[in-house]
């Protein structure tokens, strides 16, 4: 009930301005605005109170990045996600921020920086992949990595990047993305029979999601 949540967190901040929970309440108020498709309002609120965020600053920066991303301001989103990675190595939002950064780079078609981000040795992604190989964010990272290699005309590298995802159990929407990317890789490699089989799978997965846009893509 996002409208009520936003109103009541705002009321709490107004009634108890000296409370130690004000930074937390402002954060939740901003999240409620995002869920109400008010990304501009969420960004304004987070920016206004960023200096008072205290121990919640990494969360403020993450959601600020998310707000900018939803506005389509990918450069600004990238800056905020990068700050989480650089300034808060222990943040519980670190993996999400890293994937947010990778996704913004994909939107900007900055493929080489995306590959460098996800393939860096001893990085946040390296650690997450080792500790949680089936985590949906980790698997999403492999999909982005495969997309980047394919965009640069490297189908073999794209296929290699997808190996951890091929046999993984993932939600239908992600499974469609995986099959879509694999089919495009097969086309790029000239494996037309395999690509045609992939198209058949794409139609089935798209139908299972119930999303007409995926049927059109298929």
């Amino acid at each position: 009930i996002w409208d009520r949540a936003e109103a009541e967190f705002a009321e709490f901040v107004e009634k108890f301005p000296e409370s130690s929970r004000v930074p937390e309440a402002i954060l939740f108020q901003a999240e409620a605005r995002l869920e109400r498709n008010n990304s501009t309002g969420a960004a304004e609120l987070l920016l206004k109170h960023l200096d008072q965020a205290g121990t919640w600053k990494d969360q403020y920066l993450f959601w600020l990045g998310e707000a900018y991303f939803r506005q389509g301001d990918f450069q600004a989103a990238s800056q905020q996600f990068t700050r989480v990675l650089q300034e808060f190595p222990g943040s519980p939002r670190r993996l999400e921020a890293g994937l947010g950064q990778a996704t913004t780079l994909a939107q900007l078609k900055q493929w080489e920086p995306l590959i460098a981000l996800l393939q860096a040795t001893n990085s946040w992604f390296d650690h997450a992949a080792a500790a949680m190989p089936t985590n949906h964010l980790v698997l999403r990272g492999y999909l982005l990595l495969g997309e980047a290699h394919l965009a640069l005309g490297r189908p073999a590298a794209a296929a290699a990047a997808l190996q951890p995802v091929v046999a993984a159990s993932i939600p239908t929407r992600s499974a469609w993305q995986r099959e879509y990317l694999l089919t495009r890789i097969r086309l790029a490699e000239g494996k037309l029979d395999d690509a045609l089989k992939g198209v058949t799978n794409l139609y089935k997965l798209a139908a299972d999601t119930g999303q007409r846009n995926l049927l059109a893509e298929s």
Side-chain angles (χ1 to χ4, degrees):
I1 310 175
W2 300 112
D3 55 342
R4 181 173 175 182
E6 180 185 350
E8 292 189 5
F9 280 122
E11 183 182 0
F12 173 85
V13 173
E14 184 179 353
K15 284 186 176 180
F16 306 101
E18 302 302 319
S19 170
S20 61
R21 306 202 75 163
V22 163
E24 182 183 9
I26 290 171
L27 177 67
F28 290 147
Q29 185 185 353
E31 287 185 48
R33 286 186 179 184
L34 274 176
E35 293 293 343
R36 299 185 69 199
N37 297 316
N38 182 8
S39 56
T40 300
E44 289 173 351
L45 185 64
L46 292 168
L47 276 175
K48 181 180 178 181
H49 297 281
L50 186 58
D51 290 340
Q52 293 83 45
T55 57
W56 294 92
K57 189 171 183 179
D58 62 322
Q59 302 272 358
Y60 273 54
L61 292 173
F62 171 79
W63 286 109
L64 192 54
E66 182 68 21
Y68 285 138
F69 186 91
R70 296 190 191 188
Q71 291 175 40
D73 189 345
F74 301 121
Q75 292 286 2
S78 177
Q79 291 173 5
Q80 305 309 318
F81 290 137
T82 298
R83 287 190 64 184
V84 177
L85 293 175
Q86 293 179 347
E87 298 176 24
F88 300 94
S91 171
R93 293 286 184 184
R94 188 169 172 78
L95 178 57
E96 289 175 276
L99 265 294
Q101 168 71 334
T103 305
T104 58
L105 291 173
Q107 290 290 334
L108 294 166
K109 300 191 184 305
Q110 296 181 6
W111 304 116
E112 291 289 8
L114 192 160
I115 291 169
L117 178 71
L118 294 177
Q119 288 190 332
T121 304
N122 203 32
S123 67
W124 57 271
F125 188 71
D126 224 8
H127 293 158
M132 305 175 291
T134 60
N135 180 280
H136 72 99
L137 292 173
V138 171
L139 297 175
R140 181 176 149 208
Y142 288 126
L143 288 170
L144 285 168
L145 190 57
E147 189 71 46
H149 279 299
L150 186 60
L152 292 171
R154 307 168 187 165
L162 286 184
Q163 282 306 306
V165 193
V166 169
S169 177
I170 54 180
T172 304
R173 180 67 171 80
S174 297
W176 182 90
Q177 291 176 318
R178 173 181 61 192
E179 193 64 37
Y180 184 63
L181 186 52
L182 284 169
T183 301
R184 289 162 56 214
I185 290 170
R186 292 163 188 148
L187 276 173
E189 292 176 330
K191 299 177 180 177
L192 302 185
D193 288 341
D194 290 339
L196 187 58
K197 292 176 184 176
V199 171
T200 301
N201 291 335
L202 277 176
Y203 275 119
K204 182 180 184 304
L205 288 167
D208 289 343
T209 67
Q211 297 182 32
R212 295 173 64 86
N213 63 310
L214 298 189
L215 277 172
E217 291 282 354
S218 302

